Amino acid sequence: MSERIRVWLLRPAACLSSGRFHLFRSRSCDVFPMNRAPVGFVLRSLTLATVCGLAVCNGWSAHRRETSSHALSHKPATLHKTSGAKAELARVVAPLKPIARPIRKTAEFLPAVIAGGPWTEPTYADSTVGDRVDGEDLAIRRAAVDALGSYNGSVVAVDPTTGRILTMVNQRIITGSGFQPCSTVKVSVALAGLSAKVIQPETKFRLPGMHIDLTYALAHSNNYYFATLGQKLGFERFSYYAHLLGYGERAGLNIPGEQPGNFPSAIPRNGGVGMLTSFGEEIQQTPLQLAALMSAIANGGTLYYLQYPASQQEARNFVPKVKRKLDIANLIPVIEPGMRGAVEFGTARRAADDGDIAGKTGTCTENHAHLGWFGSFNETGKRKLVVVVLLTGGRPSIGPMAAGIAGDVYRRLSDTNYFADAAPSHAVPSLISSQICCQR
């Protein structure tokens, strides 16, 4: 009578993902021999199955390694800007996010790239190296340095009622040639659109499924709204108002090494007016320029020359100097809700504090480095303060992170009752006659 024999066969299996082979894994099958299973036949079958399995496995593994190597050799790196009008239009309309873009791997670029990412600036650094602090408000500097921590960036604090620079952390960056303003340019675009009567406070632009107004667009940094506004405004009109607001000229007075930044003389080739008015394409903005603009908004429309005392004696004898008056007093109540909204429920929520803060974030990439901007001012207390933060480096260098650092500056100063004390008195401001940049 035939006997059913249960034989356990072994088959090869490989774990390619770990790079190690697990040679055998058991599996059962049923064999029905005539009377007794020939042992020699079973052993020969097992040996043949094992050899064939190993051969197939090694061949498969070699093929996978070859395929992976081939794929890696053609894997794209990342690049600051994409080419092509369609890609740029998509970038304008889409919500702002840090974007990885393909770059050309050349010997020119590779040596400068920081390990760990496609950026050329480190995320962390000592941002106080080389600063001189003899004429600064040391309490504010301490708050700014502690809030910035180990990040590679800069902090500017200004008294918006006088134009006095109270502290500059990382002065090499602050007085340098400037950086793309990213979405902080939207404040200037809003003022230009309102001044030129291209939009009214209640003007709404239609997005799929919703209509958005200026307050929502500023709070959430909506690229579509400001690209559309830029198209309606046009390059010439925006250029006029942008220069009036301080782009392309030095914000400070006799600050050693300060550069004037840059505003393009023609429509940017990359994305046109839409990219100019939503991301600040081809603009070079310095932290001092953004601080001067925020000061003018905070004080009702006076664009001061920013001054940086070289000593405590100069600080005590400080005389404010007015560059020009801006006709924006009636526009400030229109844009402030959006700037407050950015902190309360928008892109700058990390800056939220017990007091009211208004501001605008900016995030983009330039020269293979992430940029994170935040320009702001407080609206409560006996003292007003403008705080501008710029971060450069890797992925954490974004506008919301910069907003968090500025919020920390305000909180630290609030803890010392800085805003509760009355501001010191200064001499009457003098108007310095300067060539108006943008007479029409």
Side-chain angles (χ1 to χ4, degrees):
M1 185 174 67
S2 64
E3 176 185 8
R4 178 174 178 172
I5 303 174
R6 186 174 184 83
V7 180
W8 291 86
L9 296 182
L10 304 175
R11 70 170 184 176
C15 179
L16 294 174
S17 61
S18 65
R20 296 180 300 172
F21 289 104
H22 301 286
L23 293 179
F24 297 102
R25 184 170 64 195
S26 63
R27 182 175 117 180
S28 66
C29 78
D30 293 324
V31 179
F32 299 94
M34 292 287 294
N35 285 316
R36 182 180 301 178
V39 176
F41 172 76
V42 172
L43 291 177
R44 285 194 299 273
S45 298
L46 285 171
T47 302
L48 180 61
T50 301
V51 171
C52 291
L54 287 173
V56 171
C57 185
N58 286 334
W60 183 24
S61 175
H63 175 70
R64 281 179 58 97
R65 285 194 298 270
E66 180 183 9
T67 303
S68 300
S69 175
H70 179 74
L72 284 173
S73 67
H74 291 79
K75 182 179 179 181
T78 55
L79 166 60
H80 163 49
K81 293 188 175 87
T82 58
S83 60
K86 291 183 179 179
E88 293 305 336
L89 180 59
R91 181 182 166 199
V92 171
V93 174
L96 180 58
K97 296 179 180 177
I99 303 173
R101 304 174 179 86
I103 69 171
R104 206 180 304 164
K105 278 187 171 182
T106 65
E108 178 184 358
F109 290 135
L110 286 179
V113 173
I114 299 295
W119 44 86
T120 53
E121 290 288 330
T123 303
Y124 305 99
D126 183 352
S127 298
T128 65
V129 174
D131 286 358
R132 60 180 183 85
V133 300
D134 293 342
E136 292 198 356
D137 184 317
L138 296 182
I140 293 180
R141 181 173 182 86
R142 187 177 303 109
V145 170
D146 290 346
L148 183 61
S150 59
Y151 281 104
N152 182 16
S154 60
V155 180
V156 180
V158 173
D159 180 348
T161 64
T162 65
R164 178 192 166 187
I165 299 173
L166 300 167
T167 190
M168 290 197 297
V169 180
N170 202 338
Q171 292 162 18
R172 178 183 60 84
I173 293 295
I174 291 170
T175 60
S177 58
F179 297 83
Q180 186 171 337
C182 311
S183 288
T184 61
V185 75
K186 291 170 179 169
V187 175
S188 298
V189 177
L191 289 171
L194 291 166
S195 297
K197 295 182 170 49
V198 172
I199 57 172
Q200 301 298 325
E202 65 278 3
T203 299
K204 295 183 178 182
F205 293 152
R206 182 176 182 179
L207 271 71
M210 64 184 301
H211 291 75
I212 62 173
D213 59 11
L214 181 60
T215 296
Y216 180 96
L218 281 170
H220 294 281
S221 198
N222 187 273
N223 302 321
Y224 176 83
Y225 184 98
F226 286 97
T228 303
L229 175 55
Q231 294 290 346
K232 293 179 180 295
L233 190 60
F235 176 78
E236 293 299 330
R237 278 195 291 190
F238 178 56
S239 177
Y240 166 76
Y241 287 108
H243 283 90
L244 195 63
L245 296 171
Y247 283 109
E249 64 183 23
R250 291 179 179 85
L253 182 65
N254 300 325
I255 297 178
E258 185 196 358
Q259 301 300 308
N262 179 69
F263 191 89
S265 58
I267 298 173
R269 297 179 62 184
N270 179 32
V273 176
M275 282 291 290
L276 176 69
T277 56
S278 58
F279 282 90
E281 186 72 17
E282 292 189 14
I283 297 174
Q284 294 293 291
Q285 171 184 266
T286 69
L288 291 179
Q289 288 171 334
L290 183 56
L293 175 59
M294 289 292 154
S295 296
I297 296 172
N299 66 37
T302 300
L303 189 66
Y304 283 103
Y305 277 105
L306 301 188
Q307 298 182 76
Y308 186 56
S311 66
Q312 292 299 317
Q313 179 68 25
E314 284 190 19
R316 285 191 292 271
N317 298 328
F318 186 86
V319 178
K321 292 180 171 58
V322 177
K323 181 184 287 188
R324 55 181 168 267
K325 296 282 189 176
L326 303 176
D327 188 16
I328 61 173
N330 61 328
L331 307 180
I332 293 172
V334 180
I335 66 169
E336 271 194 359
M339 297 176 70
R340 288 198 305 270
V343 177
E344 293 170 4
F345 55 84
T347 58
R349 292 188 300 275
R350 296 188 193 183
D353 188 29
D354 293 338
D356 288 335
I357 298 172
K360 183 71 192 75
T361 57
T363 303
C364 59
T365 59
E366 182 182 46
N367 297 328
H368 310 283
H370 290 269
L371 302 178
W373 286 94
F374 186 62
S376 64
F377 56 90
N378 68 310
E379 297 192 291
T380 57
K382 297 179 180 179
R383 287 188 181 184
K384 281 198 172 184
L385 184 69
V386 163
V387 177
V388 170
V389 177
L390 168 63
L391 300 177
T392 64
R395 296 191 189 282
S397 306
I398 58 176
M401 178 63 74
I405 290 171
D408 197 18
V409 173
Y410 289 113
R411 283 187 288 272
R412 291 172 184 273
L413 291 174
S414 180
D415 290 343
T416 65
N417 293 320
Y418 174 83
F419 300 110
D421 297 333
S425 59
H426 291 283
V428 176
S430 61
L431 176 63
I432 292 185
S433 176
S434 65
Q435 182 179 0
I436 300 301
C437 62
C438 6
Q439 292 288 353
R440 303 181 79 174

